Amino acid sequence: MSHTRLGIIGAGHIGGNIARRAALAGYDVTVSFARDPANLTALAAEIGGAAGAPAEAATAGLVVLSVPWGLLDEALAQAGSLAGRVVIDTTNQFGRGVAATLNGHTAARYNADRMPGAAYTKCFNTLTAGFQAEAATRHGADRVVQWIAGDDTQAKKIVAELAEACGYVAVDLADVDGCGVMEAPRRPGAVYGEEYRQTDAAAVVAAVQAGRPIPPAPAY
Ligand SMILES: NC(=O)c1ccc[n+]([C@@H]2O[C@H](COP(=O)([O-])OP(=O)(O)OC[C@H]3O[C@@H](n4cnc5c(N)ncnc54)[C@H](OP(=O)(O)O)[C@@H]3O)[C@@H](O)[C@H]2O)c1
């Protein structure tokens, strides 16, 4: 299955930026899931991609799921099975009652379990959409890190290729159960909400993989 065919379910602030950057890098992009289909056709025309239903986006080998947390059930229902796909979840678990729903698990675990057979990853979720769009055109040592979580090493490589093609430094940080540092809220001891560059990434990865607290967030 081709992983340069990219389906985006939720092409809004985050998914729209990924769509634009990936299309520029040569990915074949299909955008989906909006209240007003005209938003999708306009974006598709802008980037030279296609607009369609979530089920069409879900035929791609690489699928970005980027909808507000409360719409995930609806988006997944419209997408249909994601088995065999590399899925990139950009979502953050905001909303009433979410902590009880997660019951001590990572939001990534909760979502991965909702996509049986998919090679689930989490990425593009720790930085604001505005900052991601602005930072995507940086070069060299100024590029920002997009952390990647997941249990499937090959899937994480495919996601890393996309993140690098979009203009970021891709860093494999954790597995699905161990990626709590990537998840909201912003707080000391987490990478969520913080800018990182390549030079500071290795120490974070080493700490997370050793189960140690991560170093204080850098200031650039
Ligand atoms: N925004 C950020 O700074 C940021 C940063 C990191 C992670 N995230 C996470 O990434 C995910 C996506 O965030 P986002 O800010 O990109 O979301 P968004 O732009 O608000 O929405 C994503 C897409 O969902 C569609 N949508 C919204 N409400 C809908 C509804 N009721 N029915 C059908 N479609 C609907 C929107 O299309 P239309 O508006 O055209 O209907 C939009 O294309 C979220 O889980 C968020 O927590 C966001």
Side-chain angles (χ1 to χ4, degrees), residues 71-201:
L71 294 175
L72 268 169
D73 284 340
E74 187 184 332
L76 287 169
Q78 289 187 30
S81 172
L82 292 168
R85 312 299 190 277
V86 174
V87 174
I88 304 173
D89 176 12
T90 83
T91 67
N92 288 314
Q93 74 285 16
F94 294 118
R96 284 173 76 149
V98 173
T101 304
L102 298 183
N103 194 25
H105 297 288
T106 60
R109 168 53 60 204
Y110 182 75
N111 284 346
D113 287 351
R114 294 203 267 182
M115 302 171 210
Y120 173 93
T121 70
K122 183 164 191 162
C123 189
F124 298 104
N125 74 298
T126 64
L127 299 166
T128 65
F131 183 69
Q132 291 192 39
E134 174 243 300
T137 53
R138 294 189 191 176
H139 298 285
D142 290 340
R143 289 177 305 147
V144 300
V145 169
Q146 295 283 11
W147 304 103
I148 303 173
D151 291 345
D152 183 319
T153 304
Q154 184 56 28
K156 288 198 276 192
K157 283 193 183 137
I158 290 163
V159 175
E161 278 170 26
L162 172 69
E164 296 269 345
C166 287
Y168 310 104
V169 178
V171 179
D172 178 357
L173 182 58
D175 60 15
V176 170
D177 291 315
C179 70
V181 294
M182 283 174 63
E183 300 193 336
R186 189 179 187 190
R187 62 201 186 278
V191 300
Y192 178 84
E194 308 293 344
E195 175 182 349
Y196 283 86
R197 299 182 193 169
Q198 188 153 33
T199 185
D200 294 299

